[in-house]
Amino acid sequence: MNHFLDYSKRLHAALELVEFDKVEYLAEELYALWRSKRTFFLCGNGGSAGNAIHLANDFNYGISKKDGIGMRVDALPANSSVVTCLANDIGYDKIFSQQLSVKANKDDILLVLSGSGNSPNVVNALNIGNEIGMKTFAILGYDGGKCKSLAQVPIHIPVNDMQISEDLQVIIGHMIMQWICEK
């Protein structure tokens, strides 16, 4: 029982560290993106990849329940054929940046989800996103890594726990989704 109470206390303490002004800014930018029919891209590795796919579903389908039209959203880790082809042919570090160079446009939004903020593929995604002229955001744990300085708007929660870091990615995503639905 103590483990579970301790985990919930650590999660609650981490939520107190979230820079909600940056979360609100991301929400406002996503609302504007949705209304202008631009595209929202998400990426991450491991559990963060699963979170990117989960949130893509929420922003495509979840927000469509009210107005009938979901957001144009693309979870870059979702297509295993594309990911494994790119990893094999050009390198795992380019699995997201190559997709963005083909699919993304200026003023689209990129959200990187990463515990460490140091994986070369998410670093490269932010680099190409900035080069294209996308609006780049990241939800990061630990010290924020390289992504903290690359994202135009880093939402950095300094927690040294991968599971809590990944929990926060989904919680923030769900907060934004519900905010858009209410708006």
Side-chain angles (χ1 to χ4, degrees), residues 65-161:
K65 290 181 181 180
K66 183 177 177 184
D67 291 340
I69 292 180
M71 188 177 291
R72 291 181 183 191
V73 60
D74 190 340
L76 298 173
N79 187 326
S80 61
S81 294
V82 170
V83 169
T84 57
C85 170
L86 295 175
N88 185 64
D89 289 1
I90 62 173
Y92 193 75
D93 61 320
K94 296 180 180 72
I95 61 171
F96 303 136
S97 59
Q98 191 280 341
Q99 291 183 72
L100 289 170
S101 69
V102 172
K103 299 176 180 184
N105 294 302
K106 183 180 187 307
D107 295 326
D108 284 343
I109 292 176
L110 170 63
L111 175 60
V112 164
L113 305 175
S114 180
S116 72
N118 284 317
S119 297
N121 57 11
V122 293
V123 168
N124 288 339
L126 285 168
N127 282 328
I128 196 74
N130 288 330
E131 194 176 298
I132 291 169
M134 299 176 77
K135 296 177 181 183
T136 61
F137 295 80
I139 301 175
L140 307 162
Y142 292 83
D143 68 0
K146 295 175 184 172
C147 290
K148 185 176 177 184
S149 64
L150 291 172
Q152 294 162 10
V153 182
I155 300 169
H156 174 229
I157 307 103
V159 293
N160 294 323
D161 183 311

